[in-house]
Amino acid sequence: MTEIMDIVTARDPGQPEFHQAVSEVAESIKPVLDKNPEYRQAKVLERIVEPERIIQFRVPWVDDKGEVQVNRAFRIEMNSALGPYKGGLRFHPSVNISILKFLAFEQTFKNALTTLPMGGGKGGSDFDPKGKSDNEVMRFCQSFMAELYRHIGPNTDVPAGDIGVGAREIGYLFGFYKKLRNEFTGVLTGKGLNWGGSLIRPEATGYGVVYYAAEMLATRNETLEGKTCLVSGSGNVAQYTTEKLLEFGAKIVTLSDSNGYIYDPEGVSQEKLEFVKMLKNVRRGRIKEYAEKYSGAEYVALESGQDHNPLWDYQAHCAFPSATENEINALDAQNLVKNGVKVVAEGANMPTTPDGIDVFLNNGVLFGPSKAANAGGVSVSGLEMTQNSMRLGWNRDEVDNRLQMIMKNIHKTCLDAAEEYGTPQNYMNGANIAGFVKVVDAMLDQGVV
Ligand code: GLU
């Protein structure tokens, strides 16, 4: 294991997020390698950490002032053992190769857990959609697709959304792909409902996280009813996590964005949530306005350089980090445990640092790691691909029932794998082991490619 980290760090120094993701998986799967020497012999670990292909390209575009802007973009085609590369696109100034490689690596195991035929990929750009006009976003998306279109396709690589890429961006990207290829295919997921999208896709990640949390609680004969919950973020995942939590009778007291968070002791109601959806998805405003509109809530601005995030320092039973990677460090995790948190379900990808995870696991917290807990989003993407292939659309119940079944299944798979390898209730080990075994077995069947 140290060996694989030596290889990865020597080959790609300066990719801390990628190293973090690899190290977590390598640690979990040690007993699997010990039990199955053929894996070591076939160098599966060495192969799986190396992306099958990385595409990097320039995205030039003209802003509303007529000035030329240049962004950098990537698509990491990580692993195609189980199906076409599948994973989102992230538009955010922090995007770099390390972040996308960590996301693509995670995505590979996550997609394996869904049981649907999808390989792993991820892409994006350091473009910041914040503060840009619709026309600027469209011009950027068109320039981005002017290069990406030659590398993707419904049987090759099927991107979707992630941070900074929602319905608007998917629309512009799809429109330009169609124009360039003269083909109407399911090359992207997260499409609009009336042009090939699936019902429940926008809700899927958040709903899935809550289904997963409910499954974890059920192992202790508990439900979400009446539980106080901390949610971070206020984008797609946070919104639909909040919506499903409300439906299950829980109370949500926090939401956030990159500038700060709101604490609402009365709880976010469905009506307040509708305001958040309008604020974020239509007006593209900031969460601060929540506290301006609802006087019972307070807004706390986040200062940079703080050693902990005060959002994680309130009394609660459950936490749903739904903002971004490494948003819970060891100190935050200690605060959560001290304040009574018994369930953590990760909506964002890798939101807890490794020593934060240790704090949860050492304190008996039911910890649902992102590659299992947030797999609902890509699962419904998989169902969107199926519907596109059939040229049919399922109704809401059909998709939601399938999503619930998939999340239940993932939960059980993680639980069983954790048990089998001697770490009962450790969902992180379970997810890493089950995802890894599925991918590497397919790789071995397919030879050295
Ligand atoms: N970006 C999402 C994820 O992290 C969804 C990917 C997809 O639907 O392809 O899983």
Side-chain angles (χ1 to χ4, degrees):
M1 196 251 313
T2 338
E3 236 175 86
I4 193 67
M5 289 318 295
D6 287 347
I7 295 173
V8 168
T9 49
R11 191 172 259 171
D12 293 307
Q15 297 187 357
E17 294 84 2
F18 179 58
H19 300 163
Q20 183 182 333
V22 172
S23 150
E24 185 201 291
V25 171
E27 189 83 49
S28 293
I29 56 138
K30 222 172 155 261
V32 183
L33 299 181
D34 291 342
K35 206 171 144 186
N36 302 279
E38 71 274 17
Y39 286 158
R40 274 218 175 85
Q41 213 182 342
K43 301 239 168 93
V44 287
L45 208 45
E46 288 84 340
R47 285 152 68 181
I48 213 167
V49 297
E50 194 59 24
E52 289 178 15
R53 189 178 298 107
I54 296 184
I55 300 139
Q56 181 183 325
F57 53 103
R58 174 174 72 194
V59 186
W61 57 282
V62 181
D63 69 16
D64 285 347
K65 295 191 210 98
E67 221 171 281
V68 175
Q69 301 288 340
V70 181
N71 285 100
R72 175 174 283 186
F74 307 89
R75 183 73 182 165
I76 316 288
E77 296 185 333
M78 195 76 197
N79 193 297
S80 62
L82 297 178
Y85 307 106
K86 182 82 195 88
L89 297 170
R90 177 177 290 193
F91 292 169
H92 190 269
S94 66
V95 163
N96 59 34
I97 206 155
S98 170
I99 288 182
L100 293 181
K101 274 177 69 183
F102 116 64
L103 289 164
F105 186 74
E106 292 280 298
Q107 195 81 45
T108 300
F109 303 108
K110 182 194 310 194
N111 294 2
L113 289 171
T114 68
T115 70
L116 302 173
M118 299 181 290
K122 206 87 188 190
S125 173
D126 58 4
F127 173 75
D128 187 0
K130 216 189 288 171
K132 304 287 190 299
S133 71
D134 285 353
N135 274 326
E136 288 177 320
V137 171
M138 181 178 75
R139 286 197 293 274
F140 172 80
C141 287
Q142 293 185 339
S143 179
F144 181 89
M145 189 52 88
E147 174 57 36
L148 190 67
Y149 86 100
R150 63 183 103 247
H151 307 288
I152 63 176
N155 297 312
T156 309
D157 184 352
V158 183
D162 196 80
I163 294 171
V165 178
R168 171 181 62 169
E169 290 75 17
I170 293 293
Y172 295 147
L173 292 164
F174 182 81
F176 213 62
Y177 179 89
K178 180 165 60 77
K179 184 180 173 79
L180 291 169
R181 282 255 197 231
N182 194 25
E183 269 178 14
F184 195 113
T185 62
V187 65
L188 291 160
T189 59
K191 299 186 288 300
L193 254 189
N194 51 352
W195 46 277
S198 173
L199 282 161
I200 309 279
R201 178 61 191 89
E203 296 89 337
T205 312
Y207 281 14
V209 173
V210 178
Y211 294 146
Y212 197 91
E215 287 296 313
M216 291 199 292
L217 273 166
T219 64
R220 294 187 181 169
N221 295 319
E222 284 187 63
T223 69
L224 283 159
E225 174 101 48
K227 301 281 195 296
T228 299
C229 302
L230 307 176
V231 177
S232 65
S234 50
N236 170 271
V237 181
Q239 289 169 22
Y240 290 104
T241 295
T242 300
E243 185 162 287
K244 191 50 81 176
L245 283 172
L246 280 172
E247 201 186 308
F248 282 8
K251 181 177 179 187
I252 303 91
V253 293
T254 58
L255 287 170
S256 70
D257 62 23
S258 53
N259 298 112
Y261 70 89
I262 58 103
Y263 174 66
D264 185 348
E266 289 159 22
V268 180
S269 61
Q270 187 64 42
E271 182 209 316
K272 293 172 183 172
L273 176 61
E274 291 310 322
F275 169 75
V276 173
K277 286 186 190 170
M278 171 67 84
L279 172 70
K280 295 291 309 230
N281 311 349
V282 182
R283 287 184 29 221
R284 299 183 191 277
R286 308 302 291 164
I287 201 67
K288 187 174 186 208
E289 288 185 44
Y290 181 106
E292 287 159 10
K293 185 165 165 77
Y294 301 109
S295 55
E298 66 170 313
Y299 174 73
V300 181
L302 287 175
E303 290 143 39
S304 59
Q306 276 177 304
D307 61 355
H308 72 290
N309 181 346
L311 185 155
W312 304 120
D313 204 0
Y314 293 95
Q315 286 288 324
H317 197 97
C318 313
F320 293 87
S322 315
T324 196
E325 62 269 8
N326 293 331
E327 55 170 312
I328 296 181
N329 63 22
L331 206 52
D332 296 318
Q334 278 155 15
N335 283 334
L336 286 165
V337 167
K338 177 191 79 194
N339 287 313
V341 161
K342 299 282 188 292
V343 178
V344 176
E346 295 187 324
N349 286 313
M350 204 170 77
T352 313
T353 61
D355 44 358
I357 295 176
D358 287 344
V359 172
F360 293 144
L361 296 179
N362 294 335
N363 285 279
V365 171
L366 292 166
F367 172 70
S370 50
K371 58 171 80 68
N374 79 19
V378 76
S379 298
V380 176
S381 277
L383 301 179
E384 185 173 328
M385 290 166 73
T386 308
Q387 294 168 81
N388 291 165
S389 299
M390 296 192 303
R391 298 189 190 280
L392 274 178
W394 289 325
N395 65 32
R396 223 183 143 79
D397 279 350
E398 170 93 43
V399 182
D400 197 22
N401 288 338
R402 283 178 188 269
L403 170 63
Q404 288 184 48
M405 251 164 47
I406 291 170
M407 295 315 295
K408 258 189 192 252
N409 238 314
I410 298 176
H411 173 267
K412 186 165 182 325
T413 302
C414 296
L415 209 54
D416 291 350
E419 178 90 37
E420 187 187 339
Y421 283 92
T423 52
Q425 292 260 321
N426 183 330
Y427 292 93
M428 177 192 73
N429 278 348
N432 288 335
I433 292 169
F436 178 80
V437 167
K438 181 146 194 221
V439 178
V440 298
D441 282 350
M443 287 171 71
L444 291 181
D445 287 347
Q446 294 168 28
V448 180
V449 289

